[in-house]
Amino acid sequence: MNLSSLYAVSPVDGRYYNTTKSLGEFFSEAGLIKYRVFVEIEYFIALCQIPLPQLADFDQGKFESLRSIYKDFKESYILEVKEIEKTTNHDVKAVEYFIKNRFDELGLDKYKEFIHFGLTSQDVNNTSIPYSLKEGLEKVIYPEIQSLIDLLKSLAADWKNISLLAHTHGQPASPTKLGKEILVFVERLEKQFEQLKAVPFSAKFGGATGNFNAHHVAYGSINWQDFGNKFVNEQLGLSRSQYTTQIEHYDNLAATFDALKRINNIILDLDRDMWTYISMNYFKQKIKAGEVGSSAMPHKVNPIDFENSEGNIGIANALFEHLAAKLPVSRLQRDLTDSTVLRNVGVPLAHMLIAIKSSVRGLNKLLLNETAIAQDLEDNWAVVAEAIQTILRRENYPNPYEALKALTRTNEGINSKTIAEFVNTLDVSENVKAELRVITPGNYTGIF
């Protein structure tokens, strides 16, 4: 039954569906079913490759036929699994029965009891979910983060020589370069991106309570720990946790969510700075024909993209925080609270995806207002006081800080004329005065 997105409870599947639909392949119910089928089939193939005695005669030429089940996964397969689940009331068991049906069709019914052999549901879930997360991040989220970083690098290069009045505590401060301010975000994002990618995608694979009990009692001569490591680490490309309960302990999963949250916080900081620069008229925004900024005030062009990003980051981070705090905690060998929570992994990623795309869209709308930026520098000559008093310190001039403090904290306006008059009163050499006279708010920007 196809429901209109207009009736979706979550805007992720409604209003923002076109933005987030690329994540459905990895984090939807259909995606989870497909990844479970993938793990079950690859596990059966791995048992054949040992081989178990009862699988020694399995025609390995059939492996590709088995793999085609998940490679060419059909919507009818998803519906079949869900129909089976109505009877089993167990989602992973429904997947097992579905694969057994395919074995019957392929004339492999002799071997079908080795589907899901010795496993518990979490052997499938705790491999399929980290595998889907790995693919979802690498194929969707990572490229979007990199696109944002690349755009910021490009803007930093474009604005490298734009002098900008800095503001500390909201007050005029030592001037900077706009390009350098953008590179602050580039550096922060790149460092956290590296840390995110360094977190292993950990998986649990070891039977009902992590000890390969069923495997060992059936085939005691096989080193099942070595088998599990090879299957998870090499065949699936994940990182098998060596000592677990029924479930993965989720510590690395929590680290991934924490890393994503830190990246979001950097983007949030960027959003707020861009929003503020727009409010200060340092940037204008490109206007698209037909768009309305305000329903009441025709002149307005609101910074809605940065606001949209900020709102979605708030939702994403609240969920990441809950996932990171809840998942590593489970009673004894396992309670069921992780199961329902894990089904929501894609939700914060969807809100993060919306946020990144909104930030990129907002950045691409920016039009530099050099006139306003230059005028703000000209209106704040007091910021060169730091430069003057520092040079006077170098010259051992008596009480330079106090002299500049008295000048700059008067109610009289400070401008190029008052600064020049002050320099003329100083008891220093003409060479030093000449050095001081060339300092302006526009060129007192450090070494960037």
Side-chain angles (χ1 to χ4, degrees):
M1 180 177 177
N2 293 319
L3 296 177
S4 167
S5 62
L6 294 173
Y7 292 92
V9 173
S10 169
V12 164
D13 295 316
R15 183 178 183 87
Y16 301 119
Y17 172 72
N18 286 334
T19 302
T20 62
K21 62 184 178 181
S22 59
L23 293 172
E25 176 184 347
F26 311 101
F27 305 110
S28 64
E29 181 74 2
L32 180 56
I33 290 171
K34 179 179 177 180
Y35 279 104
R36 283 168 168 165
V37 171
F38 159 74
V39 169
E40 292 276 19
I41 287 175
E42 288 299 328
Y43 171 63
F44 176 85
I45 289 172
L47 293 178
C48 293
Q49 291 172 329
I50 295 175
L52 294 184
Q54 288 80 3
L55 298 176
D57 64 344
F58 187 90
D59 180 3
Q60 296 197 7
K62 299 282 188 181
F63 286 171
E64 282 311 305
S65 295
L66 295 180
R67 288 185 168 122
S68 68
I69 297 172
Y70 67 76
K71 287 181 178 179
D72 304 319
F73 209 62
K74 305 170 185 176
E75 187 170 345
S76 61
Y77 289 171
I78 298 166
L79 296 175
E80 181 180 341
V81 172
K82 296 305 291 183
E83 189 63 29
I84 296 170
E85 189 182 338
K86 290 178 182 178
T87 300
T88 63
N89 196 31
H90 195 288
D91 47 6
V92 177
K93 200 67 178 176
V95 167
E96 178 187 341
Y97 288 165
F98 161 79
I99 298 174
K100 285 182 175 180
N101 290 342
R102 303 287 79 72
F103 270 50
D104 288 340
E105 292 174 355
L106 292 168
L108 302 174
D109 52 298
K110 170 184 175 182
Y111 307 101
K112 66 183 183 181
E113 288 308 318
F114 285 90
I115 300 165
H116 200 74
F117 178 80
L119 300 184
T120 189
S121 300
Q122 286 308 105
D123 293 315
V124 179
N125 289 332
N126 283 170
T127 47
S128 59
I129 290 174
Y131 193 91
S132 66
L133 178 61
K134 180 177 185 290
E135 292 212 318
L137 288 176
E138 291 177 349
K139 293 181 180 180
V140 180
I141 301 298
Y142 287 0
E144 294 296 335
I145 295 172
Q146 190 60 56
S147 292
L148 174 58
I149 292 172
D150 291 342
L151 174 57
L152 290 172
K153 284 182 175 179
S154 176
L155 293 175
D158 291 344
W159 299 334
K160 180 178 180 179
N161 296 316
I162 302 297
S163 297
L164 180 80
L165 184 68
H167 292 78
T168 58
H169 311 281
Q171 306 302 307
S174 302
T176 183
K177 293 286 190 179
L178 180 56
K180 172 260 172 179
E181 297 305 312
I182 300 301
L183 285 176
V184 170
F185 293 104
V186 171
E187 181 177 45
R188 292 173 67 191
L189 285 169
E190 286 187 330
K191 286 184 179 298
Q192 295 306 316
F193 196 19
E194 289 173 7
Q195 291 183 32
L196 168 63
K197 290 187 286 188
V199 180
F201 292 94
S202 295
K204 176 265 177 181
F205 198 83
T209 56
N211 308 320
F212 287 107
N213 301 49
H215 294 78
H216 182 70
V217 77
Y219 297 99
S221 62
I222 294 175
N223 188 325
W224 288 106
Q225 285 185 324
D226 285 351
F227 169 86
N229 288 336
K230 182 178 180 181
F231 174 63
V232 173
N233 299 347
E234 298 178 20
Q235 202 157 331
L236 301 185
L238 302 173
S239 177
R240 180 176 173 266
S241 297
Q242 299 300 298
Y243 304 102
T244 70
T245 60
Q246 187 179 83
I247 57 174
E248 162 62 22
H249 34 64
Y250 300 126
D251 297 322
N252 282 331
L253 190 58
T256 294
F257 295 142
D258 284 336
L260 289 165
K261 181 181 169 185
R262 290 196 301 274
I263 288 172
N264 272 345
N265 281 336
I266 297 168
I267 299 172
L268 175 64
D269 202 20
L270 170 69
D271 291 335
R272 291 182 176 178
D273 275 12
M274 293 301 107
W275 188 98
T276 304
Y277 285 141
I278 291 169
S279 74
M280 295 164 65
N281 206 29
Y282 284 6
F283 292 111
K284 294 184 181 296
Q285 298 176 92
K286 297 174 185 175
I287 300 172
K288 187 175 180 180
E291 284 191 354
V292 175
S294 168
S295 63
M297 293 171 278
H299 68 282
K300 292 182 70 180
V301 182
N302 295 331
I304 56 174
D305 297 302
F306 297 114
E307 293 170 344
N308 178 282
S309 177
E310 182 175 342
N312 277 283
I313 283 172
I315 297 170
N317 280 2
L319 291 169
F320 281 141
E321 187 168 335
H322 175 68
L323 291 167
K326 188 273 151 293
L327 285 171
V329 181
S330 188
R331 297 169 183 86
L332 298 180
Q333 282 67 49
R334 190 212 178 181
D335 62 43
L336 200 62
T337 53
D338 64 313
S339 180
T340 187
V341 171
L342 282 170
R343 287 183 176 275
N344 290 278
V345 166
V347 179
L349 291 172
H351 285 284
M352 182 177 184
L353 181 61
I354 296 166
I356 296 172
K357 286 180 176 290
S358 293
S359 293
V360 167
R361 189 164 54 248
L363 289 168
N364 280 319
K365 285 183 181 178
L366 294 179
L367 293 170
L368 189 64
N369 188 353
E370 292 190 59
T371 301
I373 292 172
Q375 187 60 54
D376 212 8
L377 286 165
E378 185 62 27
D379 291 343
N380 285 278
W381 269 83
V383 297
V384 304
E386 178 191 45
I388 295 172
Q389 67 102 357
T390 303
I391 290 176
L392 293 179
R393 284 175 182 268
R394 184 193 70 193
E395 299 297 317
N396 287 322
Y397 192 88
N399 303 315
Y401 177 86
E402 288 72 20
L404 270 298
K405 178 181 175 182
L407 172 68
T408 57
R409 290 197 178 185
T410 65
N411 289 326
E412 302 296 327
I414 303 299
N415 52 40
S416 59
K417 182 179 177 181
T418 55
I419 291 292
E421 290 173 349
F422 174 78
V423 169
N424 287 336
T425 68
L426 295 172
D427 184 18
V428 294
S429 70
E430 282 302 316
N431 286 341
V432 173
K433 288 183 180 180
E435 186 180 359
L436 295 174
R437 289 187 184 111
V438 299
I439 300 171
T440 71
N443 65 25
Y444 180 51
T445 54
I447 59 173
F448 174 74

